[in-house]
Amino acid sequence: MNALKALHTEQDQAVWLDFVARGFIAKGELKALVENDGLRGVTSNPSIFEKAIGHSDEYDASLKGVMEQGDSRVIDLYEGLAIADIQAAADVLRPVYEASDGADGYVSLEVSPYLALQTEETLEEARRLHKAVGRDNLMVKVPATPEGIPAIRQLTAEGISINVTLLFSQGEYEKVARAFVEGLAERARNGGDVSRIASVASFFISRIDVLVDKLLDEKIAAANDPDQKAALEHLKGKVAIANAKLAYQRYKAVFGEAAWTGLAEKGAKAQRLLWASTGTKNKAYRDVLYVEELIGPNTVNTMPPATMDAFRDHGEVRNAIEEDVAGAEAVMARLSEAGIDIDAVARQLVEEGVQLFIDAADKLLGAVAGKRVALLGHRLDGQSLKLGDALATETGKAVEAWRASGAIRRLWAHDTTVWSGADEDKWLGWLRIVEDELERADAYAALSAWVRSRAFSDVVVLGMGGSSLGPEVLGLTYGNRDGFPKLSILDSTHPDEVRALEATLDLPRTLFIVASKSGSTLEPNVFRDYFLARMKAVVGDRAGEHFLSVTDPGSAMEKEAEADGFRQIFHGVPQIGGRYSVLSAFGLVPAACIGIDVKDFLERARIMVRSCGPAVPPTENPGVLLGAAMGTAGLAGRDKVTIVASPAIASFGGWAEQLIAESTGKQGKGLIPIDGEPVDVPAAYGHDRVFVYLRLDGHADERQDETLRGLERDGHPVVRITLDTVEQLPQEFFRFEMATAVAGALLGINPFDQPDVEASKIETKKLFEAAEASGALPPETPVFEDETIALYADPANAGALPAAATDGLEAGLKAQVARLKAGDYLALLAYVPRNAANHATLQQARLAIRDAKHVATCLEFGPRFLHSTGQAYKGGPDSGVFVQITADPTEDLAIPGRKLGFGTVVAAQARGDLSVLSERGRRALRIHIKGGDVPAGLKRIAAALTAAAG
């Protein structure tokens, strides 16, 4: 009989194998060990599965088969593989289980190490795994952490067999043994069967000697007395075995007490000590040391394959566990005398053990994530980061810090300490909105069918910020679909723009979507009032049939929509801020109305949601990687996130601009997104940029490709994101949401509030209400005025621009542009109609400034940017130089139910904007075009800017 088999037949010690792998089971090797060596159990852990799955291709076929049925979460892919292996191993060991009356024949599967410090979550996962495996001879592994011990007691009471892991201390072992006894006692009191429950307490061996020997070496090096050195040297390699022998004595004591005897009479099986980590780490020690010295009755030794092979070859079988117990006590006493606290050693090893299993789990899940990406192929948008050595190094550090701290799991768990510890947990509904909305896909399909049946020619979203920017991307990217209306956006209160939009509409065939989360935002309310009155004038009492509303439950807008007989009201999610709402009803209602298949849209988005999920380690997590790159770049001074996109998806930049600016720009920190600035040669830029390039394969702009390659060669950081088709754009909404949340964490801010946007709203409301009461906005005094232009500035800015007061527009703009320095940006804030002609005029001037001054430039149209980049301009870094442009409308437009018209609204918004910029100490100058000739006024301003560029 070989030595392995003799362990059980002669000494009543069960041999378990600390290893599992699919091929090992499938080829019959596990069964051979059972038959030839008397193997009686199998243990697994994340490290074992990481080696099996991550370092072989034997699971690839199974993964491919699952993925061919549809995408899956990384954690589900892993668990599917692991559970199949555990079930197969359990089936091999089932005869041992039956023959031993349930004492042996177990296979162990570990609760996620991420839950080691969470009692309730451990309980939930243990129950779930027990049910999923569906084998009586399963043991669920639970760590002996302070949080794990109550779970061990409860699970035992529920009849689940437990393998308690990460035991190093005699005291902690005794707590575990008593928790097991208490759990069984509770089960017995409740009338449960205690005879079919088994448990082992995995007491780790070699790791103790590794750490203690290191501490002894330090003591030896510090000692001067040769005898003391020799005494310390003599302890090396002895502490782990002594500690285990004394733990065995505690086992005998606990399971010799009356509390246990009564349970034993009911058929209960004692929890056995299982010697774990029994492969020797120190080559100076005998390779079977931790097997031979711990042989004893009713124990288990779980061995790695190499140790099992060694013991089979030359192991010696004897009852050693109770040999020289007094000597073991002496070893522990001498260790204490040497100043080494074994309990402190045990605590350290538990902490390290949990972390080692977490590290292994990260590698394991990272390997599965990598295989999933490969199987998804072009269905998942690609991403590559070329950051340059210095930024890549710092980004790598940030990514590792996120991994080590479990930050991505904490983010998904709504842990506010990921950010500022404020109310971030109340704004994380966007994390799960895709799954939630998929459950409502039929409702969106019904809406789409209704819209088509009505043969609407136009659908208009009336909203601001997050309520309009996402739908605008969808309309411009997906285009007009047969049988469905054309989508337009109204997010400007300028009367000329409202009038211009109305002129394009066939009102009897137009559907309006009034979108506002709070329902109290000024702009969507006045838009609704205007177009509802216009529709009543055209179709009478049926006007409400031409209106949908998207708003949060219980809002004022919901009540008014009900009163006005709106066709349908869709609810937003109160836990989602506007800029994170595109994958909720705020984006999906417009999507359905223009014929987008919402279910397909969401399923494509879900691929990215799963790629950014809590089980995907930061190194494989595209959202974390992008966010880490942006956040680290910002901290390094490259805070201008320059968005470049293929022409067919160019509108995405406007949405991303709001998301990034409004989320990160506060407390004097933040990222300044740059959208709509054509990418150019390296000479055009300073050293404050990071470029994010969204490339649509098959429809890319060759000039963009070549220019980005040139920027990369010149040392500028470039992130490339590749989309196989336009229909994969939904993935980018979620990637950027996650990245922005991560960047916000690195910057140390709350990415879900917008304090400076609120300040501007308050100032605007104050001005408009005063105007409503008095009949006009309060008068202003310009610092300069001629026939067509007036200049305005607060006292501080006027004092910094004396030339504006004395010499007018050209001199004033020259002085304002001269305030730009390296690392600054220029923002043109134009409260004029947003049309192609006005954009082209200002774009030319913008680029002249960029090329001459090598600074980032922004071109924004008000008031829409107030709900977007306005937050960063007022609350972000003080690196902006602002030129606000306002104009008299050609003719005002009345708002039903209000004394004043749209012209007063837009004027109040511009004034409120400038007031808050000035209050924040920003470098701001306002240029007002008099007389309503906006094109001529813009050309004059653009010429002055171009001249100021030099």
Side-chain angles (χ1 to χ4, degrees):
M1 181 183 297
N2 73 44
L4 285 171
K5 220 167 193 179
L7 284 172
H8 184 254
T9 58
E10 296 178 10
Q11 300 296 335
D12 191 27
Q13 181 175 75
V15 175
W16 287 13
L17 175 66
D18 196 25
F19 175 76
V20 69
R22 179 151 302 181
F24 176 76
I25 301 168
K27 294 172 186 174
E29 294 174 64
L30 176 62
K31 184 177 182 182
L33 289 177
V34 173
E35 295 173 349
N36 301 330
D37 292 323
L39 184 73
R40 302 182 68 78
V42 168
T43 53
S44 69
N45 59 48
S47 298
I48 289 170
F49 275 116
E50 190 273 325
K51 291 182 178 69
I53 296 173
H55 298 273
S56 76
D57 60 2
E58 63 185 31
Y59 293 84
D60 290 2
S62 294
L63 285 170
K64 183 179 180 182
V66 172
M67 292 293 289
E68 284 176 347
Q69 304 303 310
D71 185 34
S72 292
R73 299 185 307 161
V74 166
I75 190 64
D76 295 333
L77 290 171
Y78 154 65
E79 285 191 357
L81 298 176
I83 287 171
D85 281 3
I86 295 298
Q87 289 173 328
D91 292 346
V92 172
L93 284 158
R94 183 76 190 192
V96 177
Y97 175 79
E98 297 291 353
S100 65
D101 192 29
D104 263 319
Y106 287 90
V107 181
S108 298
L109 178 62
E110 187 145 5
V111 166
S112 168
Y114 303 140
L115 307 177
L117 305 181
Q118 302 172 51
T119 302
E120 290 303 317
E121 289 80 357
T122 294
L123 284 166
E124 182 180 339
E125 173 138 326
R127 293 166 183 145
R128 183 178 62 80
L129 291 176
H130 177 74
K131 181 178 180 180
V133 173
R135 300 293 190 273
D136 296 336
N137 55 329
L138 170 74
M139 278 192 179
V140 179
K141 293 179 77 172
V142 177
T145 58
E147 297 81 4
I149 291 175
I152 292 161
R153 183 193 185 284
Q154 179 60 35
L155 292 168
T156 301
E158 294 176 15
I160 297 176
S161 295
I162 301 298
N163 177 341
V164 184
T165 187
L166 290 180
L167 278 165
F168 299 90
S169 156
Q170 299 171 43
E172 292 305 305
Y173 160 66
E174 187 169 333
K175 290 179 186 177
V176 164
R178 295 192 184 283
F180 169 73
V181 173
E182 291 166 6
L184 276 186
E186 179 181 335
R187 183 168 180 79
R189 287 194 299 273
N190 293 334
D193 181 6
V194 298
S195 67
R196 301 297 288 182
I197 302 168
S199 179
V200 294
S202 295
F203 203 86
F204 282 59
I205 309 301
S206 66
R207 292 188 196 179
I208 289 180
D209 273 348
V210 170
L211 180 52
V212 169
D213 285 0
K214 178 183 176 184
L215 296 173
L216 287 169
D217 284 337
E218 293 172 0
K219 298 282 185 183
I220 292 167
N224 295 317
D225 183 353
D227 291 340
Q228 184 183 9
K229 285 179 177 286
L232 291 169
E233 188 72 37
H234 187 67
L235 287 174
K236 290 172 66 176
K238 294 185 172 59
V239 173
I241 291 171
N243 193 44
K245 287 188 173 186
L246 297 181
Y248 187 77
Q249 294 303 307
R250 296 205 187 199
Y251 154 79
K252 290 176 62 180
V254 170
F255 291 99
E257 293 173 354
W260 173 250
T261 303
L263 290 168
E265 290 172 354
K266 295 178 181 179
K269 300 174 179 65
Q271 181 190 64
R272 292 178 292 174
L273 272 164
L274 178 150
W275 312 124
S277 183
T278 54
T280 54
K281 306 293 194 291
N282 189 331
K283 299 302 181 184
Y285 302 157
R286 182 171 165 81
D287 58 359
V288 291
L289 172 69
Y290 299 126
V291 181
E292 290 177 337
E293 299 302 320
L294 297 175
I295 300 170
N298 209 30
T299 59
V300 180
N301 196 309
T302 185
M303 308 177 202
T307 302
M308 186 174 285
D309 291 342
F311 194 83
R312 184 192 301 109
D313 179 69
H314 51 267
E316 297 179 4
V317 179
R318 71 182 197 285
N319 188 335
I321 192 65
E322 294 196 86
E323 288 179 357
D324 197 14
V325 173
E329 291 172 342
V331 166
M332 301 308 293
R334 289 198 299 274
L335 186 72
S336 179
E337 291 167 4
I340 297 176
D341 182 350
I342 190 62
D343 289 330
V345 166
R347 286 192 296 272
Q348 178 180 335
L349 288 171
V350 169
E351 292 175 5
E352 290 176 355
V354 169
Q355 190 59 52
L356 284 169
F357 281 160
I358 286 174
D359 293 347
D362 284 345
K363 289 181 181 177
L364 165 61
L365 294 172
V368 175
K371 290 176 183 285
R372 171 180 170 272
V373 168
L375 289 167
L376 283 170
H378 293 300
R379 287 181 288 163
L380 174 66
D381 294 350
Q383 178 175 281
S384 66
L385 285 70
K386 303 293 185 181
L387 305 178
D389 292 344
L391 184 56
T393 297
E394 292 306 309
T395 300
K397 290 178 182 177
V399 170
E400 172 54 23
W402 263 62
R403 188 204 66 78
S405 66
I408 186 61
R409 297 188 299 278
R410 290 163 46 219
L411 183 155
W412 278 89
H414 295 205
D415 182 350
T416 64
T417 64
V418 171
W419 297 284
S420 67
D423 69 342
E424 292 92 345
D425 58 317
K426 295 180 173 61
W427 299 102
L428 297 174
W430 54 275
L431 289 169
R432 293 179 172 81
I433 191 61
V434 170
E435 292 290 352
D436 293 343
E437 292 289 12
L438 273 167
E439 295 179 3
R440 294 186 279 271
D442 288 347
Y444 292 112
L447 171 63
S448 192
W450 174 78
V451 170
R452 185 166 194 165
S453 72
R454 289 292 303 271
F456 288 113
S457 60
D458 293 273
V459 57
V460 182
V461 173
L462 307 175
M464 299 297 292
S467 300
S468 63
L469 291 168
E472 181 176 59
V473 175
L474 301 182
L476 292 173
T477 303
Y478 286 78
N480 297 343
R481 304 206 161 195
D482 288 344
F484 289 93
K486 174 173 70 73
L487 178 67
S488 299
I489 302 295
L490 181 61
D491 58 0
S492 173
T493 52
H494 197 289
D496 291 348
E497 192 159 348
V498 177
R499 193 179 293 109
L501 171 67
E502 184 180 356
T504 68
L505 303 176
D506 178 4
L507 283 176
R509 298 182 61 218
T510 297
L511 175 68
F512 291 95
I513 302 170
V514 188
S516 172
K517 274 189 62 63
S518 66
S520 61
T521 303
L522 174 65
E523 297 94 335
N525 279 294
V526 297
F527 295 155
R528 178 204 60 211
D529 293 345
Y530 177 80
F531 280 106
L532 185 59
R534 293 290 298 117
M535 190 63 75
K536 286 179 178 178
V538 174
V539 302
D541 294 340
R542 294 182 293 108
E545 281 289 307
H546 290 256
F547 283 81
L548 307 174
S549 178
V550 186
T551 189
D552 282 357
S555 73
M557 182 168 285
E558 180 178 24
K559 295 179 177 64
E560 292 179 8
E562 290 171 345
D564 289 327
F566 279 21
R567 167 70 188 187
Q568 196 167 354
I569 299 169
F570 292 86
H571 285 144
V573 178
Q575 294 77 29
I576 303 178
R579 58 188 175 274
Y580 289 84
S581 68
V582 65
L583 297 173
S584 74
F586 285 94
L588 300 180
V589 169
C593 288
I594 61 172
I596 293 174
D597 183 336
V598 170
K599 182 179 180 182
D600 178 73
F601 181 93
L602 290 169
E603 285 175 342
R604 290 174 186 270
R606 184 167 61 182
I607 292 174
M608 184 59 70
V609 175
R610 289 171 169 171
S611 297
C612 297
V616 183
T619 53
E620 306 295 329
N621 192 307
V624 175
L625 289 171
L626 177 58
M630 293 196 306
T632 304
L635 293 170
R638 289 188 176 271
D639 59 351
K640 313 304 188 302
V641 180
T642 305
I643 303 164
V644 184
S646 295
I649 54 174
S651 62
F652 181 83
W655 175 85
E657 181 185 48
Q658 181 211 14
L659 175 71
I660 295 167
E662 199 170 27
S663 297
T664 69
K666 57 201 70 170
Q667 300 174 24
K669 307 174 183 178
L671 304 172
I672 304 300
I674 309 299
D675 174 47
E677 188 188 73
V679 67
D680 212 327
V681 296
Y685 303 107
H687 300 288
D688 58 346
R689 305 273 192 149
V690 57
F691 293 89
V692 181
Y693 177 28
L694 288 93
R695 185 182 191 276
L696 181 60
D697 288 348
H699 300 274
D701 183 314
E702 291 184 10
R703 182 181 178 279
Q704 287 180 336
D705 283 346
E706 181 53 39
T707 304
L708 266 297
R709 284 193 289 268
L711 289 169
E712 184 185 323
R713 287 192 296 268
D714 200 58
H716 290 280
V718 176
V719 177
R720 286 180 175 81
I721 293 169
T722 56
L723 291 74
D724 192 48
T725 66
V726 161
E727 285 74 21
Q728 288 178 201
L729 192 63
Q731 294 184 21
E732 297 315 310
F733 291 126
F734 192 84
R735 184 205 305 265
F736 274 76
E737 287 172 354
M738 178 61 74
T740 301
V742 172
L746 293 180
L747 294 170
I749 50 89
N750 178 352
F752 308 111
D753 66 359
Q754 49 281 332
D756 300 282
V757 168
E758 299 303 329
S760 189
K761 285 182 180 179
I762 291 168
E763 189 64 26
T764 296
K765 184 178 180 183
K766 186 194 310 178
L767 285 165
F768 187 71
E769 288 178 349
E772 283 269 279
S774 66
L777 289 169
E780 298 178 285
T781 302
V783 297
F784 173 85
E785 186 174 18
D786 63 21
E787 292 182 356
T788 61
I789 291 289
L791 305 181
Y792 296 89
D794 69 292
N797 276 300
L801 300 168
T806 59
D807 300 319
L809 174 66
E810 287 72 14
L813 273 179
K814 184 175 182 180
Q816 181 72 341
V817 169
R819 301 171 86 178
L820 287 164
K821 57 185 184 296
D824 283 347
Y825 64 96
L826 175 76
L828 304 180
L829 313 178
Y831 286 80
V832 299
R834 185 170 64 99
N835 57 44
N838 291 344
H839 181 275
T841 300
L842 293 174
Q843 181 80 336
Q844 182 179 359
R846 167 196 194 180
L847 297 181
I849 297 291
R850 181 199 67 182
D851 294 344
K853 300 295 183 181
H854 311 297
V855 296
T857 60
C858 308
L859 173 54
E860 307 289 356
F861 285 87
R864 76 186 237 137
F865 80 87
L866 289 176
H867 300 262
S868 173
T869 51
Q871 169 63 47
Y873 297 161
K874 299 175 182 72
D878 187 11
S879 53
V881 173
F882 302 96
V883 177
Q884 187 191 74
I885 303 169
T886 58
D888 293 334
T890 54
E891 183 183 350
D892 202 358
L893 190 62
I895 303 170
R898 297 182 185 265
K899 297 177 183 177
L900 302 174
F902 281 102
T904 306
V905 175
V906 72
Q909 290 175 309
R911 287 199 197 183
D913 177 29
L914 187 67
S915 174
V916 178
L917 283 170
S918 301
E919 179 190 317
R920 300 290 191 270
R922 300 316 200 207
R923 294 163 284 178
L925 174 68
R926 175 181 160 211
I927 306 171
H928 183 72
I929 302 170
K930 299 164 62 176
D933 190 349
V934 172
L938 290 181
K939 287 176 182 176
R940 182 179 172 190
I941 294 167
L945 283 167
T946 302

